[in-house]
Amino acid sequence: MHGRGEPLGPPLSKHVVVGRRHEALGLDLTQQPPDGPGEEQRPGAGLALEAVTRHDALRLFVDRARAAQPAFAVNERNVAAVVDICHRLDGIPLAIELAAARVRSIPVETIAARLKDSFRLLRTGDATVLPRQRTLRVLINWSVDLLAETERRLLRRLSIFAGGWTLEAAESVGAGDGIDAGDVLELLSALVEKSLVVMDAEGERYRLLETVRQYAQERLQEAGEAVSVRDRHLAFYLAFAEAAQPELAGPEQGRWMARLDVDHENLLAAHAAADRAAGGAELGLRLVRALRRYWIHRGLGALGYRLTVEALARAGGPGHDLARYRGLFGAGQFAHSMGRYADAQRHLDQAAAIARGMGDTTLVAKVLQPLGLAGLGAGDFDLARRHLDEALDLARGLGDKRELLAASSALAQLHRMDGRLDTALLLSRDALALARELGDRLSVAMGLLNLAMVSIDCGSGKEARAMLSEVLAIVEEIGSKPAAQSALEVCAALAALGEDWETAACLFGAAEAQAAQTGLQRDPADAAFLRPRMARAQEALGAAGFAAAATAGRALADDEAMRRARASLLRRA
C-alpha cells in the first residue's frame, strides 16, 4: 500500500483510455454524480489508495497533475477530491487534463468544489446537447474563465488556424489589439501548460483539440474579432506561399514542399477567407498562383484547378491584366494535367490574348508552351508545332532560360512522337542541361525521363537505366507525384525492352493506380510511347497473365512501387 504523500502510480501516456468501469473500485466514472444533499458521501471517501492506481481515469489525472506540479501526490487527505473530479468529468480525457493542469495554482480540493458549482449551473443548459458534450463545454468554460485576459484573447484568435501553426504564425496572427508580438511566446507557453493548446513532440508546431477550437471560435465571434483575425491569417499564409513559390523551382524544393504540406489546411482556409476579405479577388489569385507548382508536384491537379477557377470567378476580380493572365495560365496547366484539353485550350487562349494585348513578349512566350501541349493533347499536331516553334524562338530572343527549357522539352516530345529521334535527342539534352543549370530538381527528373524514352526508342537500355536510377533518387528526395508516375511508366517500358514482361505489367499497373489517385493523365506523347510496349507484354503473357501482374502492381503502396522499380533497374545492371 502507498504511504501518505507517496506519488500514485507510474506516469501514463496522454492518450490512455479512460472512462471504463473498474469493479475493484466499485466506481463507475461514466455516471454524473448528484449535486445537493449527500455530496459529503461522494465517491472516493475512504477509498483505498492502492485501488486508485488501477483506475485509468484517476491515473491520468495524477499523471497530468504531476506534469503541471511535480510535487503533487495523492494521499488520504485529497484522494476523495481526486475521485470526485474524475467522477464528475465522466472520465473524459480532455476534461481530466484541463482540470489536472490547474493543480499548478489551485489545490485539488478547491478544483473539486469549483467544478461542483459549475455543474450546478450546467443543469440549466440545453437539454438537447449530449451529456459528455455538456461536460466538456462547462469544463472548458471554467478553464478559460481562469485565464488572464491576454491568454483568453490569444486562445480565441488561435482558433482561426486549421491543422496547427508555428510560433511565427501565432505572432503574426495573434498579435495586435492588446497583445504585443513579443508576448505571444509566453502566452502560448501558458496555454500549453494549462492543456488548452497542444505542442508537438519537436516543439515546432502547436494545435488546438477540435473541441477547444470550436469553443474558442464561438468566443472569437462574440468578441467581434473574427474579421480582423481572419484577414491577418490570410495575409500571413499568402506571404508564406509567395515566399515558397520561387523555392519550388530550385534545389530546396523538397524542403519547401514539406513545409507547405504541414500547412495545407491553413492554405485552404486562407483561400476560403479571400471570399470575404477586402481586395479578396486579387489576393485569392495571388494565392493560387503561388501554390500552383506545389499542387502539381503533389498530384493535386483537380484541387488546384477547382480553387483557381473559384479565384477567377470572384466578384470584383481583375479584368484583362497580369493577375487574370496568371490565373488563366494556372487553370490551363491544371486542366491539361487532367487530360481536359479543350478546357486547357480555352483558358490558355484567353491568357494568350491578354499577353498579346499587353504587348508583353515574355508572357506570350510563357503561355505558348502549355498551349502547344494542349494542342498536342487535342490531336492538332500542326497547331501544337506552331505554338511551340514560336515559344522557342521567343525564348531564345529573350534569353529566358526557364522558358527555353519549357519550350525545348515540349518540342522534344512532339519530335519523338513524329519519330524524329535525333532532333528529340538534341532538344532533350538541351533541356536537361538548362534544368541542371537552374537547379530545378523536378525539371531535371523530367528531362532525364524524356531522354530515357528516346534512349529506349533507340534500343539503348543501358543509358536509360542510368537515367532512371537518378530519376528515382530525385523522386525520393522531392516527393513529386508526376515524376513518380512517369518514372514507373518508363521503368515499365525499359522492362519490356528487356523482355521482363511480368515486371513491365506490374509497374504499369502501379502507375495506373497512382494516376487513379491523383487524376494526372498521361501526356499523349507518353501514351504513344508506352502503348506498343504494353501491347507486346500482354501478347507475351496472355491477357490473363498481364491482367494478374498489373493487378498486383495496382495493389502496391507508393513506396513499395518505387522499391520494385529500383529492383528492376538493378536486375538489368
Side-chain angles (χ1 to χ4, degrees):
M1 179 180 291
H2 293 276
R4 182 185 299 272
E6 183 176 352
L8 180 59
L12 299 180
S13 163
K14 289 186 66 174
H15 303 293
V16 67
V17 177
V18 301
R20 298 176 301 188
R21 185 178 181 89
H22 200 302
E23 298 300 335
L25 288 174
L27 173 65
D28 185 353
L29 293 192
T30 66
Q31 298 300 314
Q32 182 73 18
D35 288 327
E39 277 291 321
E40 68 277 4
Q41 301 300 320
R42 63 181 177 269
L47 196 63
L49 287 176
E50 73 272 15
V52 177
T53 67
R54 297 196 298 270
H55 202 295
D56 289 340
L58 302 174
R59 293 176 66 206
L60 176 62
F61 181 91
V62 173
D63 178 64
R64 304 320 302 156
R66 290 175 63 191
Q69 174 52 268
F72 176 79
V74 173
N75 52 49
E76 292 173 0
R77 291 191 305 271
N78 64 17
V79 63
V82 171
V83 173
D84 188 23
I85 291 167
C86 294
H87 191 179
R88 199 174 295 280
L89 297 179
D90 296 330
I92 301 171
L94 172 58
I96 289 171
E97 288 206 31
L98 291 172
R102 286 296 170 181
V103 169
R104 176 187 297 273
S105 56
I106 304 175
V108 70
E109 294 85 356
T110 303
I111 293 174
R114 290 192 178 185
L115 284 180
K116 180 176 71 174
D117 292 340
S118 295
F119 276 97
R120 282 200 182 103
L121 294 175
L122 179 64
R123 287 175 177 271
T124 64
D126 185 354
T128 65
V129 179
L130 294 175
R132 288 173 68 85
Q133 292 175 339
R134 283 184 284 156
T135 298
L136 268 176
R137 187 171 188 82
V138 77
L139 200 283
I140 293 171
N141 191 60
W142 174 77
S143 298
V144 170
D145 282 346
L146 294 175
L147 297 176
E149 173 56 31
T150 50
E151 292 172 343
R152 285 197 294 270
R153 190 173 293 164
L154 180 61
L155 178 66
R156 63 183 181 243
R157 293 175 185 178
L158 294 175
S159 70
I160 202 70
F161 290 105
W165 65 87
T166 61
L167 173 60
E168 180 187 8
E171 290 172 337
S172 180
V173 176
D177 301 323
I179 297 179
D180 292 332
D183 295 333
V184 169
L185 175 57
E186 182 179 348
L187 295 171
L188 197 53
S189 299
L191 293 173
V192 171
E193 289 175 357
K194 293 161 185 171
S195 294
L196 287 162
V197 170
V198 180
M199 183 172 63
D200 68 14
E202 293 76 26
E204 295 178 353
R205 289 185 68 82
Y206 304 83
R207 63 184 173 87
L208 292 175
L209 295 177
E210 188 57 28
T211 305
V212 177
R213 181 172 182 250
Q214 291 174 5
Y215 176 92
Q217 281 182 328
E218 292 176 13
R219 302 288 81 78
L220 184 67
Q221 291 287 346
E222 291 172 1
E225 295 182 318
V227 173
S228 60
V229 173
R230 187 180 64 233
D231 287 348
R232 290 201 294 271
H233 181 275
L234 169 57
F236 177 83
Y237 283 101
L238 174 58
F240 172 53
E242 290 186 330
Q245 182 183 358
E247 303 296 339
L248 296 179
E252 294 294 312
Q253 59 191 179
R255 184 172 68 87
W256 278 89
M257 282 200 291
R259 290 186 63 182
L260 291 170
D261 284 341
V262 295
D263 267 315
H264 197 215
E265 290 181 64
N266 279 310
L267 294 164
L268 295 179
H271 167 80
D275 285 341
R276 294 167 287 176
E282 181 181 353
L283 297 175
L285 284 171
R286 285 171 56 191
L287 182 64
V288 294
R289 174 184 179 245
L291 294 173
R292 182 171 66 239
R293 184 177 282 262
Y294 166 73
W295 284 322
I296 290 173
H297 279 335
R298 287 299 189 238
L300 299 171
L303 174 65
Y305 182 67
R306 176 174 64 81
L307 299 186
T308 301
V309 170
E310 288 176 0
L312 285 165
R314 281 195 180 102
H320 288 66
D321 63 3
L322 180 59
R324 186 160 188 82
Y325 163 90
R326 288 169 170 167
L328 290 164
F329 182 96
Q333 273 197 322
F334 287 126
H336 176 269
S337 73
M338 295 184 291
R340 297 173 59 169
Y341 301 119
D343 287 331
Q345 286 180 307
R346 175 169 51 85
H347 294 305
L348 294 167
D349 277 334
Q350 292 177 43
I354 292 173
R356 293 190 192 278
M358 294 171 64
D360 192 321
T361 305
T362 300
L363 296 183
V364 174
K366 187 179 185 68
V367 75
L368 285 173
Q369 185 262 355
L371 195 49
L373 289 176
L376 187 62
D380 192 337
F381 281 37
D382 290 337
L383 179 63
R385 185 174 287 104
R386 287 198 302 273
H387 286 320
L388 295 176
D389 283 340
E390 184 183 359
L392 188 63
D393 288 343
L394 290 174
R396 283 172 175 162
L398 292 165
D400 188 323
K401 293 180 180 179
R402 186 162 295 282
E403 296 312 319
L404 192 57
L405 161 61
S408 298
S409 297
L411 269 172
Q413 293 184 54
L414 182 59
H415 286 296
R416 180 162 51 80
M417 286 187 73
D418 279 347
R420 299 169 183 166
L421 297 183
D422 289 343
T423 304
L425 182 63
L426 291 173
L427 287 167
S428 295
R429 284 175 176 167
D430 288 346
L432 178 59
L434 285 166
R436 292 193 189 280
E437 185 179 344
L438 292 167
D440 186 334
R441 300 294 283 157
L442 177 61
S443 293
V444 169
M446 292 305 187
L448 287 165
L449 286 166
N450 284 334
L451 270 175
M453 285 188 276
V454 176
S455 296
I456 292 171
D457 276 336
C458 294
S460 180
K462 183 177 180 180
E463 289 184 10
R465 196 172 302 121
M467 295 170 194
L468 289 169
S469 294
E470 186 177 354
V471 170
L472 294 179
I474 294 173
V475 167
E476 184 174 358
E477 172 193 338
I478 67 175
S480 170
K481 295 288 188 181
Q485 185 176 317
S486 294
L488 289 173
E489 292 169 355
V490 182
C491 284
L494 180 61
L497 179 66
E499 298 185 355
D500 185 353
W501 308 116
E502 187 168 346
T503 296
C506 178
L507 295 178
F508 174 77
E512 291 280 284
Q514 290 198 9
Q517 293 170 10
T518 64
L520 293 170
Q521 296 300 305
R522 194 175 293 121
D523 283 337
D526 294 349
F529 166 80
L530 199 57
R531 192 179 304 112
R533 291 169 172 84
M534 293 306 101
R536 286 197 290 274
Q538 187 169 5
E539 183 179 355
L541 292 171
F546 182 89
T551 298
R554 289 187 186 93
L556 295 175
D558 290 353
D559 56 349
E560 180 60 26
M562 290 294 107
R563 283 195 290 271
R564 289 291 296 271
R566 281 193 292 273
S568 74
L569 297 178
L570 291 174
R571 283 198 301 272
R572 289 185 292 277

